[in-house]
Amino acid sequence: MTEQTDLSIRELRRKFTKKCLSPSEYWLALEQHIEAWEPTISALYAYDPEDARRQAAASTERWAKGEPLGALDGIPVTLKELIATKGQAVPLGTAAVELVPAAEDAPIAARLREDGAVIFAKTTCPDYGMLSSGLSSFHKLSRNPWDPSQNPGGSSAGASAAAAAGYGPLHIGTDIGGSVRLPAGWTGIFGFKPSHGRIPVDPYYVGRCAGPMTRTVEDAAFSMATLSRPDWRDGTSLPPNEIDWMDLGIDVSGMKIGLMLDAGCGLPVDDEVRDAVVAAAKRFEEAGAIIIDVAPVLTRQMLDGLDVFWRARFWGDIMGLSEERRNSILPYIHSWAKGGADISGVDAVRGFNQTIEMRKSCGKLFAAVDAVLSPTNPIVSYPAEWASPTNDPARPFEHIGFTVPWNMSEQPASSINCGFSRSGMPIGLQIVGPRFGDMLVLQLSKAFEDWSGGVTNWPKRPA
């Protein structure tokens, strides 16, 4: 039987409408579930169950009158710590930042409040969101619910752990190089990075997106009508849309789908990951798609150029801090950032230009295919205490070869579970669509979820 805390958004709305379950009753059950898990995985920051009870009670009154505020009224939600909520500090995952309450809600938080969602906590991230890890100089170490000795990935570390552990149906992460999809792959959940600007963010930046992290494709799709409403604060925000986000049916017959098993550089793909992704591609082929082996879109020059640019940019962000504050940054990140101190403006621009090369490479590939399948992560897992899959600040981006190009090309991409390793850890399949092909990615993801049956045996609560 499905536990009450495992209900989907639509199931919860149905029960709220029939008055056989109230938002308050659901929250209290979820609160107990979180209390059982949180000491083990440390997914949350600024967790406030008392305020959540107040929000749920207000929602219960609205549902009792038949007057919900919006589609997500009464639905518990977490936001990645980097997403500002009025009155709460935004530590950026680091001990180096002065804790100043945010003056206003970021666009995502504002949209969720407009619809009556119960924002009950933030989720952890590493320093400045710069790692694919749950390691932070400010937050407790976040761990993977499938095996707490292992890393949940990042930088949306707490969001992925919370979703896998069942802290409600919806968690919002951010993604500039894979930070929604990478942890989704390592924790077995569904992570969706929409087209750039589809979900407004503040601050916005090249490649920076936000997206839902959920246990099912449907829950992510359902949230998009709320999250995708435009906001003037994001200069890249897309115009209002009339997308039917729940139109998830698709016939893949005749579709040309690329299968990319080599990222072009970075860590080699584990055999177990490769086998799981090939098996997933065969599911699409059996349904009538034409599977085409495709070459990488990324080169070593592109990835190294991005590394140079990001080091220079980040050093520029922190060089004004006092030495004491800079030294409180996680040593791995501080060591990496110091490499940007001596990068010239010319070299930084040359590095940035490699993002344009990525975009051109991705565009060329999509002139020949309708979608692309690949591993999300090249490796099965790595220790919770590591800062990255290499744990080497000189080689910080060796794991993002399959994910980062699609941020630079502004294309939608998802990660969905496609199997498990012999050690019992989840394996992620990445599904990439053309720019603005958000619905195609969701539809292909839902089709695969239906064929595979999805994840049915989520991690058990700690004893």
Side-chain angles (χ1 to χ4, degrees):
M1 292 178 63
T2 301
E3 288 190 22
Q4 185 168 278
T5 53
D6 291 337
L7 294 172
S8 70
I9 294 174
R10 288 217 290 185
E11 288 169 337
L12 285 169
R13 282 178 52 83
R14 196 174 299 120
K15 288 180 178 291
F16 294 166
T17 301
K18 292 181 177 180
K19 299 180 174 57
C20 58
L21 178 69
S22 72
S24 287
E25 290 168 336
Y26 175 69
W27 169 255
L28 290 175
L30 190 61
E31 189 178 318
Q32 291 183 352
H33 182 83
I34 292 168
E35 287 173 359
W37 264 111
E38 187 60 9
T40 299
I41 62 173
S42 300
L44 304 181
Y45 164 68
Y47 174 45
D48 190 344
E50 185 175 338
D51 183 60
R53 288 181 218 125
R54 286 194 293 268
Q55 293 180 63
S59 177
T60 295
E61 289 184 14
R62 292 191 293 269
W63 278 104
K65 297 175 182 176
E67 299 174 353
L69 285 177
L72 296 175
D73 202 334
I75 305 299
V77 181
T78 69
L79 300 178
K80 187 175 180 177
E81 182 250 275
L82 302 180
I83 301 170
T85 47
K86 185 177 180 179
Q88 290 181 317
V90 183
L92 304 178
T94 180
V97 169
E98 185 177 353
L99 298 181
V100 178
E104 60 182 357
D105 285 335
I108 293 164
R111 299 296 85 76
L112 289 167
R113 290 199 205 277
E114 289 166 2
D115 274 12
V118 176
I119 301 174
F120 67 89
K122 297 299 200 58
T123 49
T124 62
C125 67
D127 293 54
Y128 298 95
M130 293 299 296
L131 294 178
S132 195
S133 173
L135 186 63
S136 162
S137 65
F138 179 83
H139 299 296
K140 291 180 180 179
L141 177 65
S142 296
R143 296 176 178 273
N144 194 319
W146 292 95
D147 179 349
S149 75
Q150 297 300 291
N151 213 296
S155 61
S156 303
S160 66
Y167 288 19
L170 181 60
H171 310 272
I172 313 299
T174 62
D175 187 320
I176 198 170
S179 290
V180 161
R181 290 156 290 153
L182 293 166
W186 277 311
T187 56
I189 64 170
F190 180 69
F192 179 50
K193 182 201 81 69
S195 296
H196 190 89
R198 182 67 70 196
I199 297 176
V201 296
D202 180 30
Y204 63 91
Y205 195 73
V206 175
R208 186 170 189 248
C209 298
M213 302 175 73
T214 60
R215 283 185 169 187
T216 67
V217 176
E218 183 184 90
D219 279 342
F222 193 95
S223 73
M224 286 299 295
T226 298
L227 299 173
S228 65
R229 294 201 292 268
D231 192 293
W232 68 267
R233 290 173 288 177
D234 185 343
T236 66
S237 178
L238 297 178
N241 65 75
E242 296 182 0
I243 298 170
D244 180 359
W245 292 101
M246 300 306 290
D247 181 17
L248 295 172
I250 190 172
D251 180 358
V252 303
S253 298
M255 283 188 64
K256 294 180 179 179
I257 300 180
L259 176 60
M260 184 185 294
L261 296 172
D262 178 4
C265 56
L267 294 173
V269 177
D270 285 351
D271 289 343
E272 289 182 275
V273 173
R274 178 184 295 269
D275 290 347
V277 171
V278 168
K282 287 180 179 177
R283 296 261 191 172
F284 285 92
E285 189 171 47
E286 290 165 359
I290 301 166
I291 302 298
I292 304 167
D293 291 331
V294 297
V297 290
L298 191 69
T299 66
R300 171 53 63 182
Q301 184 179 7
M302 293 176 190
L303 191 60
D304 287 350
L306 186 67
D307 184 14
V308 167
F309 170 63
W310 275 353
R311 285 183 198 239
R313 172 186 171 254
F314 186 58
W315 183 253
D317 288 344
I318 67 171
M319 64 183 296
L321 295 176
S322 67
E323 185 175 355
E324 180 183 1
R325 285 197 176 275
R326 274 206 310 271
N327 288 338
S328 68
I329 296 171
L330 196 71
Y332 179 104
I333 294 177
H334 192 205
S335 174
W336 169 78
K338 283 177 69 176
D342 299 322
I343 293 172
S344 70
V346 170
D347 285 340
V349 171
R350 285 174 178 158
F352 175 81
N353 286 344
Q354 291 303 315
T355 69
I356 308 301
E357 295 304 311
M358 287 188 213
R359 187 172 186 140
K360 288 164 61 177
S361 183
C362 295
K364 182 179 180 180
L365 172 58
F366 268 80
V369 298
D370 300 309
V372 168
L373 306 176
S374 79
T376 303
N377 313 296
I379 65 169
V380 167
S381 191
Y382 54 106
E385 294 79 11
W386 283 19
S388 74
T390 63
N391 207 31
D392 180 356
R395 301 168 62 232
F397 300 138
E398 299 302 293
H399 58 289
I400 67 174
F402 286 111
T403 54
V404 71
W406 315 113
N407 292 76
M408 301 305 116
S409 66
E410 303 190 359
Q411 293 175 232
S414 70
S415 178
I416 190 167
N417 178 258
C418 66
F420 290 84
S421 68
R422 288 185 293 274
S423 61
M425 299 305 292
I427 295 171
L429 168 71
Q430 182 175 228
I431 301 176
V432 186
R435 193 171 177 225
F436 307 134
D438 303 81
M439 279 308 305
L440 177 61
V441 171
L442 289 170
Q443 288 165 343
L444 293 174
S445 300
K446 183 64 167 68
F448 181 76
E449 182 180 60
D450 289 344
W451 299 331
S452 65
V455 179
T456 57
N457 188 25
W458 289 97
K460 303 299 181 186
R461 278 203 250 183

